[in-house]
Amino acid sequence: MGTAKEHWSREPGRWEATLMPEAWATIPVIATPKVSPDRTRIAYSRGYDGRLDVMVVPVDGGPSLQLTDYARPQGPDLSQRQAHSIAWTPDSAAIVFASNQQGKLWKVGAHGGPSRPVEEAAGNHHSPAVSPDGKWVAFVAEREENVDIFIASMDGSQVRCMTSTDPADDEYVAEPKWSPDGSKLVWMQWPHYDMPWDECALVVADVASGERTIVASGERVINNWPQWSPDGQWIAFMSDRNSGHPNLHRVRPDGSNLESLVYERADHLWPCWSPDGASLAYTRNEDNENQIWIWSDGRARKITTEPGVHSDLSWIDNTRIACIFQSPLAPPDIWAVTTSGERSQLTHSATGGVLGGDLVLPEVISWRSRDGLQVTGMLFTPKEQVPGKHPLVVHIHGGPVGQWNKQWIPWNQYLVQRGYVVLVPNYRGSKGYGREFMEKLYGDWGGGDLEDNITGAEAVITRGLVDPEKVVATGGSAGGYSTLICMTKAPGVFKAGI
């Protein structure tokens, strides 16, 4: 007869895990890689133990160098504000970053040395972009309810607002980028009462005159992630104007010749031009993965297949692309991917506790909600299975306009190793499935999405693995609100919430 400890340890939900919280808590967060203009190094942000730093790593691999100390970069917010913190100077000698020092821009040498402030204009500043001649930096300035694009001389002596100062023009702005000749800026803007996934337009401004032209817009249409072609003749961007999904488009800087380059019912993101301007790389959201595709000569082709999420694309040269890659098996790191699909890892954030963690890939599943809507999610199941005995955790994403993909979520792995089954549903309102699916949540938060989560749990229960009396909801931010809704509106299904 075994001990009480041995008896309880055999119950699913009480198993000993090999991936411990201490292991994933020590993993640094790698984000926002930016290839230097001379194509030799990649700058990125590294978050660890409550602080962020600007780092550089050679494009061919090698040790990373930490550049920041006293002044450190702000964290990126690529979802709601589309904010980033790092930009190279055109001579590749320095990096400008949005700092934690009263929200101002600072500059640090790319080979080391002290950091110095660039400007002291009012507000919190982010998303810097240095002009091709190296004399000016454009950035977003947030001052209470006002959000504008400014340019400042690199010595801080001159600052000028490029957006409208009329209070009636209540727009949020993001992503300023210089044209290759330095004469124009492009940025995206959307109504202050909306979000960038609801409606946004692209604006091109003449830097000398300040004259602004909207080059891509539309009611309830998104036009975002603008990227100048190397010759300045085109602006590539993503728009859902045709398919209901953000697809790859391009337009002339004067707003003419707007055309769709790839039309399909799949979401695209992260467009970027090759240095010779012959190709456009982007990611395609498919089967809860984000794979890299290349458009060239009127045709698109897929170059990656590794299960996971590719993001933050930036060409190293005409044959290699730097990106962030993460998966359920590996935390985010910088990788180089060739146009023929060969891969090399440039940063290494995983610890031994993660590499030896015996992790699992999820299964993509779908089910019908009460009203017949098809909903998709992912199911994580333990390698050892005890039919009818596993507790079920329904892990609800935030946003609510978010999406679970095959990304690095170590808590899911930890729960699975303890003997839980974990469902991560992409309920109505999630992005990645087109505007119609996303807008089904409007005016109905806590209604149809609750039914999606309930029917997802029921679909898992019918498989016979889980104990229907041990179903738990969990989530953060909007997922925390949804957890509250699960517990208060469906206590017969969800016995607990976290």
Side-chain angles (χ1 to χ4, degrees):
M1 183 175 180
T3 65
K5 179 180 179 181
E6 291 171 337
H7 170 74
W8 287 112
S9 67
R10 289 196 297 270
E11 181 182 350
R14 298 176 180 266
W15 297 347
E16 184 177 358
T18 55
L19 176 67
M20 301 304 292
E22 295 86 351
W24 81 69
T26 58
I27 297 173
V29 178
I30 308 297
T32 58
K34 305 286 184 181
V35 175
S36 61
D38 65 6
R39 313 286 173 185
T40 63
R41 288 161 293 171
I42 300 171
Y44 64 96
S45 68
R46 177 185 185 270
Y48 179 72
D49 198 24
R51 66 171 286 150
L52 291 166
D53 284 292
V54 175
M55 311 286 292
V56 290
V57 64
V59 297
D60 295 322
S64 293
L65 173 66
Q66 179 178 319
L67 298 179
T68 47
D69 39 56
Y70 169 67
R72 304 188 301 274
Q74 302 174 27
D77 178 4
L78 300 177
S79 175
Q80 297 186 0
R81 295 157 62 225
Q82 295 199 201
H84 60 87
S85 59
I86 296 174
W88 284 91
T89 56
D91 59 3
S92 300
I95 296 163
V96 175
F97 62 96
S99 81
N100 65 341
Q101 298 301 306
Q102 299 179 328
K104 303 304 183 279
L105 301 184
W106 284 54
K107 182 173 73 171
V108 64
H111 294 284
S115 301
R116 294 285 185 264
V118 173
E119 47 73 40
E120 296 182 354
N124 180 69
H125 304 160
H126 60 78
S127 303
V130 182
S131 62
D133 62 7
K135 296 179 178 179
W136 297 86
V137 59
F139 57 92
V140 176
E142 299 173 335
R143 297 153 298 143
E144 296 181 349
E145 294 298 315
N146 298 313
V147 183
D148 291 291
I149 303 290
F150 280 78
I151 60 171
S153 57
M154 287 294 285
D155 62 6
S157 63
Q158 301 178 63
V159 180
R160 180 156 63 98
C161 182
M162 296 299 299
T163 43
S164 173
T165 57
D166 186 345
D169 296 332
D170 188 22
E171 305 286 344
Y172 200 102
V173 293
E175 289 278 320
K177 292 184 172 68
W178 294 88
S179 61
D181 65 3
S183 67
K184 297 179 178 63
L185 279 169
V186 64
W187 64 77
M188 52 179 290
Q189 68 179 30
W190 62 90
H192 217 138
Y193 52 80
D194 264 337
M195 299 299 279
W197 50 75
D198 293 317
E199 175 182 322
C200 55
L202 299 185
V203 178
V204 171
D206 182 87
V207 175
S209 68
E211 181 180 354
R212 298 181 296 276
T213 303
I214 295 178
V215 299
S217 62
E219 184 176 357
R220 308 303 293 173
V221 173
I222 60 171
N223 306 274
N224 61 10
W225 301 103
Q227 298 285 339
W228 290 96
S229 62
D231 61 6
Q233 296 301 302
W234 292 99
I235 299 170
F237 65 103
M238 301 309 189
S239 178
D240 65 354
R241 62 183 55 246
N242 295 318
S243 67
H245 292 255
N247 285 170
L248 185 63
H249 288 68
R250 69 179 179 183
V251 66
R252 296 289 188 185
D254 62 0
S256 64
N257 298 98
L258 192 157
E259 60 179 315
S260 170
L261 300 181
V262 180
Y263 174 88
E264 61 180 344
R265 295 185 63 81
D267 284 15
H268 302 161
L269 197 59
W270 303 108
C272 62
W273 295 87
S274 59
D276 61 7
S279 303
L280 274 164
Y282 62 97
T283 63
R284 182 180 187 269
N285 190 323
E286 53 182 322
D287 298 327
N288 297 99
E289 300 176 5
N290 281 301
Q291 300 293 350
I292 301 177
W293 287 63
I294 292 178
W295 177 90
S296 182
D297 296 325
R299 300 171 59 185
R301 64 184 180 91
K302 183 179 180 180
I303 66 168
T304 60
T305 58
E306 188 76 14
V309 175
H310 298 82
S311 65
D312 299 81
L313 308 189
S314 181
W315 289 80
I316 297 172
D317 51 41
N318 290 319
T319 63
R320 291 183 297 169
I321 299 167
C323 66
I324 293 288
F325 174 74
Q326 61 178 305
S327 80
L329 308 181
D333 270 306
I334 300 174
W335 289 70
V337 180
T338 70
T339 53
S340 59
E342 298 172 348
R343 307 163 63 86
S344 59
Q345 188 172 352
L346 302 182
T347 62
H348 301 267
S349 63
T351 63
V354 170
L355 296 175
D358 196 27
L359 311 181
V360 298
L361 281 171
E363 173 191 358
V364 177
I365 67 170
S366 62
W367 62 92
R368 294 288 177 181
S369 194
R370 296 276 189 258
D371 58 1
L373 180 70
Q374 180 167 302
V375 183
T376 301
M378 293 183 295
L379 188 66
F380 293 80
T381 56
K383 292 184 177 180
E384 178 186 348
Q385 298 180 357
V386 185
K389 298 296 184 180
H390 297 274
L392 171 63
V393 173
V394 180
H395 192 176
I396 306 169
H397 67 67
V401 183
Q403 184 187 19
W404 287 127
N405 279 317
K406 291 179 183 175
Q407 62 212 83
W408 174 246
I409 307 292
W411 194 42
N412 291 341
Q413 299 283 358
Y414 174 72
L415 290 172
V416 168
Q417 291 185 355
R418 293 298 301 267
Y420 290 84
V421 171
V422 180
L423 171 67
V424 292
N426 285 319
Y427 52 86
R428 70 189 68 200
S430 301
K431 61 183 178 182
Y433 304 94
R435 177 175 289 272
E436 181 180 356
F437 187 86
M438 180 188 74
E439 293 187 344
K440 285 184 179 297
L441 190 61
Y442 288 14
D444 190 37
W445 197 2
D449 56 315
L450 173 62
E451 296 298 336
D452 299 344
N453 294 329
I454 291 174
T455 52
E458 291 172 346
V460 175
I461 290 170
T462 61
R463 292 180 167 221
L465 268 183
V466 307
D467 182 344
E469 297 300 316
K470 294 182 178 180
V471 179
V472 179
T474 187
S477 189
Y481 171 79
S482 296
T483 297
L484 176 64
I485 293 297
C486 287
M487 294 178 65
T488 54
K489 288 190 173 183
V493 178
F494 298 97
K495 306 302 183 182
I498 304 171

